[in-house]
Amino acid sequence: MAVKNGDRFSTSTRIRLLGEQTAARVYRSQTRRQARRSRLTGRAAFLALVVCSLVVALAYPIRSYVSQQGEIADQERRAAEAARRVEELRDEKARLQDPAYVRRLAREHLHYVLPGETGFTVNDPGAADRPRADQGTADRPWYDNLWDGVDNADRH
């Protein structure tokens, strides 16, 4: 926009300056309009639609996959637990094949004694003094027992 001093008032110079100013204003307004324009173009809208469709279409299969993986892990845990229990039972079966182990179990649980040994039974002298839970229910009518059961259920 450098204008010679003598051409400052000429018509051609004025028209040229007006044209440059107008062009600058038009350029500025176009850049502002482009800045304000939405960045969502037709291609971007179509891409968003395709992505949303894929998400909706894949949501159920992915949810099924995740739940099935959880079920598989649970079944594998149960299978490992069952295998461990089978091993314990096999060990117990092998121990029961040993006569010394069976003899020890019979002595502990069934109170067996070998020939020539003397078995003792120790009675607790305080057991007769302690009331039993079912003592006295036989000589009462059945409906009293029923109401006592209902009352005891409320306490617990």
Side-chain angles (χ1 to χ4, degrees):
M1 282 208 348
V3 179
K4 292 181 190 172
N5 213 5
D7 291 337
R8 195 169 98 185
F9 298 110
S10 70
T11 308
S12 64
T13 305
R14 284 188 206 155
I15 293 174
R16 190 170 35 92
L17 283 175
L18 283 174
E20 289 175 359
Q21 291 171 356
T22 306
R25 271 190 237 125
V26 167
Y27 177 74
R28 280 189 301 235
S29 68
Q30 283 179 350
T31 55
R32 278 191 224 130
R33 204 176 305 140
Q34 287 175 352
R36 283 182 292 197
R37 184 187 297 169
S38 173
R39 296 202 187 320
L40 185 67
T41 62
R43 286 182 182 174
F46 182 72
L47 180 64
L49 180 68
V50 168
V51 168
C52 289
S53 299
L54 285 174
V55 166
V56 169
L58 295 176
Y60 181 74
I62 289 174
R63 193 180 101 217
S64 288
Y65 174 77
V66 169
S67 68
Q68 287 174 356
Q69 290 299 318
E71 290 175 11
I72 288 171
D74 187 43
Q75 291 297 327
E76 287 174 347
R77 181 190 54 80
R78 286 183 182 177
E81 189 176 302
R84 182 189 53 79
R85 180 70 179 137
V86 165
E87 282 301 315
E88 289 175 1
L89 291 174
R90 283 187 181 147
D91 291 344
E92 182 70 18
K93 181 181 175 185
R95 276 182 276 168
L96 288 173
Q97 300 299 322
D98 184 18
Y101 181 72
V102 173
R103 201 173 303 124
R104 185 176 66 105
L105 287 179
R107 290 174 67 104
E108 287 176 5
H109 297 289
L110 303 175
H111 306 288
Y112 279 17
V113 291
L114 293 174
E117 292 181 348
T118 305
F120 293 97
T121 304
V122 179
N123 292 327
D124 186 10
D129 297 336
R130 285 180 287 200
R132 292 180 44 189
D134 60 349
Q135 189 176 16
T137 59
D139 57 343
R140 294 176 19 189
W142 65 270
Y143 49 84
D144 283 341
N145 294 334
L146 176 69
W147 285 119
D148 285 345
V150 171
D151 289 339
N152 288 337
D154 287 340
R155 288 188 202 119
H156 298 290

